[in-house]
Structures are given as C-alpha cells and as structure tokens.
Amino acid sequence: MDLTLETILDEMKRQIDKWAAYISDKDADQIVKRTSLQVGIHDYALLEYANGRTNVSDNNLDFTVPGAAARRGNSAETLTEEQVRERIVPELAAYIGQTLDALTPALIDYHFTFTGKFRTREGEVRVRIYEYVNETKKKQLLERISFYIEKKLEAGKYPTKPLETFFLSRHLLDERLFPNMDVGRIISLFEKIQQVNKGNKHLAEHRNYLTVALRNWAEDQWLPRYFDQAGTQFQKQYKKKARLGWKIPSRVRSSLSFMPQS
C-alpha cells in the first residue's frame, strides 16, 4: 500500500471517528426510553470522498442524476476504482464494525448500513461498505411491536402518542422486520390508529406520519423494483424498467391506493 493511499485511509478513519464522537454526544438511553417502539437511533451513515476530501454524515440525499457522475472520470483524482473496491472498502468495513461495537448500544438501531461514494479516476463509485443486523434487538423490537398492537390498538380505547405512530408505521413497512407484507393488516392497523385518535388534537399529526411512511416505502422499496430513477432526490422521475409482461402485484396496488382519509 503506497503512502498516498495510507494517508487517504487515515483521513477516512479520522472522519469516521469524528462522526462517532458527534452522534455519541447525546443521551441515547433517555431518547429510546420515550417509546418501546424504538430500540436505537441511527441506522445509516454515508462516507463521501472527492478531491482529497472526506466527509461522513447521516445524509442520504442525492442531488445528482443517476449515472451522470459515473460516466465522468477525473484524471486528477488520486484513487482508482480498483483501490476503492479492493483496498479501501474491506479496511473501512472492519473499522466501522469496530467503531460501532464501541458505541453505546442505544445509539445504533437493530440494523445499520454504512455506504460510500467515491470520486475516482474512472468516475464515481458507490458501494455498500458495511451492513449488519442485530438479531437480539430485532427480536426484541418484534415482540414490542406485537405487544403494542395487541394492547394499545386492538384493545385500545384511548388516544396514542404521535411518536408511537411515527415508529410503528415505519416498522410495519420494514421488509427486514416483515418480509411478507400483509397489506390488509397494515391498512387495518393504520385505520385503527386513526380510530383511537379520532377527535384528538394530534390526529392530523398521526395521519401525516402514516402518509409519509407509505410514501417513503413506495419511493425507497417498491418503485426501484419496477422503475429506474432518472431525476434527483427533489425532482424525481421514473422510467419503467425494460421488462415485458410484469404486472404490479394486487397486494401492492392495495397499499398504494390507501391514504389516510380526513
């Protein structure tokens, strides 16, 4: 490994340490105690490298047009795509794993993804560097979700907290937790949330969380399966994938047609 690559890696690790110190500057244990439906705070981080500079953040917004940066190489860049994939990614994967192990458990959710976006001589390289699922936390969360639904919704007679709806709506649409999505049950629970909060001053907030959760699921999970994105994060455009004869599953059509009613 040459000195230049060592220097770049050292800086990347330093930025990871800086990010870890930043997210550690909060009382994570108190935050997750607000609701039983939260078992961790952070589930994503992004490392970006370009022009000799590295930054690590929780930001997953993308303002570029997909494919545009990848087609443009830059001979002035130090890194090559081979160095990124063969040397940098494996070392950073090991380092971020060690870093997460040293953090307060409540800081990290039951799943965590660490991705990288590198500008190289050949063009932009985007890669998933590290991903893990804490099976103990996952099991605990599933048990809490089941208990909450049974006690607070199905047998519930009182308004629920908006924060609980924020997390529950996302969990129910999380395919890591529920790989076989039961659309009918999800719709039923969304309607139950509105029912127990009918007449409550926070009803609009509950409905907003339900709508945003559905929109995020559609844009992040469903649409990428059937469409290619041609726009940016804030000007999204979709083009049907070149696949003949496929139809949108009926269970998915049902979920997309559901929106909380006023």
Side-chain angles (χ1 to χ4, degrees):
M1 184 182 293
D2 59 58
L3 181 60
T4 301
L5 189 51
E6 285 182 353
T7 302
I8 292 172
L9 271 167
D10 286 344
E11 175 60 16
M12 289 178 176
K13 292 176 182 178
R14 191 180 75 82
Q15 291 299 324
I16 290 174
D17 291 342
K18 184 178 178 181
W19 167 79
Y22 172 75
I23 68 170
S24 296
D25 189 22
K26 61 184 67 175
D27 193 340
D29 290 325
Q30 288 300 316
I31 291 174
V32 299
K33 283 181 180 179
R34 297 176 301 167
T35 169
S36 63
L37 299 176
Q38 184 180 19
V39 295
I41 301 172
H42 298 275
D43 63 5
Y44 178 86
L46 168 68
L47 182 146
E48 296 179 276
Y49 172 86
N51 301 319
R53 296 183 178 182
T54 301
N55 180 63
V56 178
S57 70
D58 297 330
N59 181 23
N60 62 357
L61 297 180
D62 189 352
F63 300 94
T64 63
V65 176
R71 293 191 296 267
R72 295 196 300 269
N74 188 343
S75 59
E77 287 289 351
T78 301
L79 292 180
T80 65
E81 181 173 352
E82 180 181 7
Q83 288 175 320
V84 168
R85 297 188 183 279
E86 301 298 326
R87 309 297 290 274
I88 290 179
V89 168
E91 187 154 344
L92 290 186
Y95 193 78
I96 191 66
Q98 295 171 3
T99 300
L100 295 180
D101 287 342
L103 294 175
T104 300
L107 279 170
I108 305 301
D109 206 352
Y110 83 91
H111 67 91
F112 184 86
T113 303
F114 184 62
T115 61
K117 186 162 67 172
F118 306 88
R119 192 171 298 172
T120 71
R121 294 176 188 173
E122 296 87 355
E124 187 175 274
V125 175
R126 304 187 188 198
V127 61
R128 182 172 298 176
I129 297 173
Y130 179 88
E131 184 170 23
Y132 98 117
V133 174
N134 184 313
E135 294 296 340
T136 300
K137 279 189 175 183
K138 179 180 177 180
K139 180 181 178 181
Q140 180 185 57
L141 180 57
L142 285 168
E143 291 173 349
R144 291 181 179 185
I145 292 171
S146 179
F147 182 83
Y148 179 87
I149 290 173
E150 179 184 354
K151 300 299 182 181
K152 291 290 189 74
L153 293 182
E154 293 179 339
K157 299 179 181 179
Y158 304 101
T160 57
K161 298 178 181 179
L163 185 65
E164 295 170 343
T165 294
F166 173 86
F167 284 106
L168 181 64
S169 59
R170 283 154 177 76
H171 293 332
L172 293 175
L173 295 167
D174 184 348
E175 295 184 355
R176 298 182 190 89
L177 294 173
F178 302 100
N180 299 313
M181 187 173 67
D182 187 339
V183 173
R185 179 158 173 75
I186 292 172
I187 292 175
S188 175
L189 290 172
F190 280 15
E191 290 175 339
K192 184 64 176 178
I193 289 171
Q194 296 176 87
Q195 179 183 335
V196 298
N197 288 288
K198 188 175 182 179
N200 184 274
K201 65 180 181 179
H202 297 297
L203 178 59
E205 190 174 358
H206 285 279
R207 286 173 170 163
N208 179 64
Y209 286 147
L210 297 179
T211 302
V212 172
L214 282 168
R215 182 182 299 115
N216 289 343
W217 169 80
E219 293 181 351
D220 298 338
Q221 298 184 49
W222 182 77
L223 282 170
R225 294 175 186 167
Y226 300 99
F227 298 87
D228 292 318
Q229 185 180 331
T232 66
Q233 187 75 18
F234 292 106
Q235 291 183 324
K236 295 186 177 182
Q237 299 175 4
Y238 296 95
K239 181 180 179 181
K240 182 178 176 181
K241 289 183 184 246
R243 211 188 300 177
L244 299 177
W246 63 265
K247 295 181 179 180
I248 299 175
S250 59
R251 64 187 182 91
V252 176
R253 287 201 302 270
S254 298
S255 64
L256 290 175
S257 64
F258 169 77
M259 294 293 282
Q261 299 298 311
S262 57

